[in-house]
Amino acid sequence: MERIGLVLEGGGVRGAYTAGALAWLKDNGISFDYSVGISSGAVYLTCFLADNIQAAKMMSTKYAAGPECVGYQAFLKEGHYVAYKYIFDVCLKEKEHLTMAPIRAAKPDVEVGAYDLGEGKTCWFGPDELDDDLVLLRGTCALPLASAVVEYKGRRLLDGGITKMVPIERAQEKGCTKFMVITTKPRDYVRKPAAPIVEFLMRIVYKECPQAAKDYHVRHLNYNHQMDIVRSLADEKKALLCCPSKTIKVSRWKGDEDKCRELYQLGYDDMDARKEEILAFMKKEETEE
């Protein structure tokens, strides 16, 4: 049989689009043989699999846009530009009661990616690794320079998007033959190199892991290569690329609640507009041995 994979990009606050798209998938009873998420995509993927779409909606439309999560207030709270502990410990765990128990119990074929500073590469974690304190999830989202390194079971983790922004290659490695890819940027988006000051800071802040700075230096090349793979698969009808149909002014770092709700709704509406296409794509055909 064919093996259909769900591939989710990150995107910070722009992940509201992904959250809305996943809400549509949940409402239409669509599931996948394998799924993989990076950064905010990993968070919304676990909400989807834990059947807590409300947590994804609140996170993407309210908490992520809150002034206490990003910027001056976040720095005062946690000493970093993004208050990740507040986001995960208070917003998701306490307020939205997000737990990984349903995923560990069901054991779907799912992975989230985080960059391991000890190994100098993005590593993959399955359902048994997802803890109810959401420490691993926090590690998958810990943006370099903007957050603290997350300690998890002896590992030192950062955002897996350092190397795997659109984890299409991982889905291929896992044997998927068809792919639904949800991104937060337009189909033709081309990533540019990081600013020199950012690369300099990467070398200084993570000097114990020089590979991290090297990987960040070619991050734009990796992203563009990953999207080339996705677009090629889409042209061959082996992938369905779902991305925003219009521009809504929400950045990786910030967006007011109205704009975030608009982006969430766009994710839902874009999927609904392609309902017949999606349903046809999800049908499996017998393959010859």
Side-chain angles (χ1 to χ4, degrees):
M1 294 290 291
E2 290 179 322
R3 182 167 159 82
I4 304 178
L6 174 64
V7 177
L8 302 181
E9 181 192 21
V13 181
R14 289 194 302 264
Y17 183 84
T18 301
L22 291 175
W24 185 90
L25 291 173
K26 179 65 69 174
D27 285 349
N28 285 271
I30 295 176
S31 60
F32 298 84
D33 301 304
Y34 169 78
S35 52
V36 59
I38 288 291
S39 196
S40 64
V43 176
Y44 298 135
L45 175 59
T46 57
C47 292
F48 174 73
L49 294 173
D51 202 22
N52 193 339
I53 291 298
Q54 180 66 15
K57 183 175 183 179
M58 292 298 291
M59 179 66 224
S60 63
T61 62
K62 182 177 181 180
Y63 305 136
E68 66 275 14
C69 291
V70 180
Y72 178 71
Q73 290 187 40
F75 188 82
L76 290 179
K77 190 186 300 288
E78 297 186 15
H80 293 89
Y81 189 71
V82 183
Y84 281 105
K85 281 188 65 64
Y86 175 79
I87 290 171
F88 284 88
D89 293 350
V90 177
C91 298
L92 289 174
K93 185 179 174 182
E94 293 183 12
K95 294 183 179 180
E96 299 305 323
H97 310 292
L98 181 62
T99 173
M100 299 293 99
I103 301 177
R104 292 196 305 273
K107 297 190 186 307
D109 195 353
V110 57
E111 291 182 312
V112 296
Y115 192 91
D116 186 323
L117 287 169
E119 297 193 31
K121 66 178 182 179
T122 295
C123 298
W124 306 99
F125 301 85
D128 288 338
E129 296 284 350
L130 292 167
D131 61 288
D132 288 331
D133 287 329
L134 310 183
V135 177
L136 174 59
L137 270 189
R138 179 155 54 89
T140 69
C141 294
L143 288 168
L145 306 180
S147 67
V149 173
V150 175
E151 303 280 348
Y152 174 76
K153 293 185 177 180
R155 296 173 178 260
R156 303 181 72 244
L157 303 179
L158 287 174
D159 190 322
I162 290 177
T163 61
K164 305 294 183 182
M165 283 150 285
V166 184
I168 183 66
E169 294 152 305
R170 183 59 176 174
Q172 291 177 315
E173 290 170 4
K174 295 291 286 185
C176 294
T177 56
K178 292 169 66 175
F179 314 83
M180 177 180 287
V181 183
I182 301 176
T183 69
T184 58
K185 292 179 282 296
R187 175 188 171 101
D188 58 353
Y189 177 82
V190 176
R191 183 174 288 278
K192 297 179 181 179
I197 184 60
V198 174
E199 294 201 26
F200 170 76
L201 290 173
M202 287 291 297
R203 292 194 295 271
I204 298 301
V205 174
Y206 306 113
K207 59 184 178 181
E208 82 284 3
C209 179
Q211 186 61 42
K214 293 177 183 178
D215 286 335
Y216 209 86
H217 177 68
V218 296
R219 185 168 178 259
H220 65 294
L221 300 178
N222 284 330
Y223 173 87
N224 294 332
H225 174 66
Q226 289 153 16
M227 285 304 298
D228 282 344
I229 294 173
V230 172
R231 286 186 287 261
S232 177
L233 288 168
D235 289 343
E236 297 171 11
K237 308 301 182 184
K238 294 179 181 178
L240 200 61
L241 174 56
C242 305
C243 51
S245 60
K246 65 179 182 180
T247 300
I248 296 175
K249 292 185 177 180
V250 172
S251 74
R252 167 180 286 274
W253 302 107
K254 63 179 65 176
D256 62 49
E257 284 191 37
D258 288 342
K259 290 296 184 183
C260 287
R261 284 194 293 268
E262 187 179 350
L263 187 57
Y264 180 95
Q265 190 62 46
L266 180 66
Y268 194 99
D269 292 344
D270 279 356
M271 300 293 279
D272 199 50
R274 300 175 68 180
K275 180 174 183 177
E276 297 307 318
E277 180 186 7
I278 292 171
L279 294 179
F281 182 82
M282 293 301 299
K283 289 182 179 178
K284 293 185 177 180
E285 296 179 1
E286 295 286 350
T287 56
E288 295 183 1
E289 295 289 340

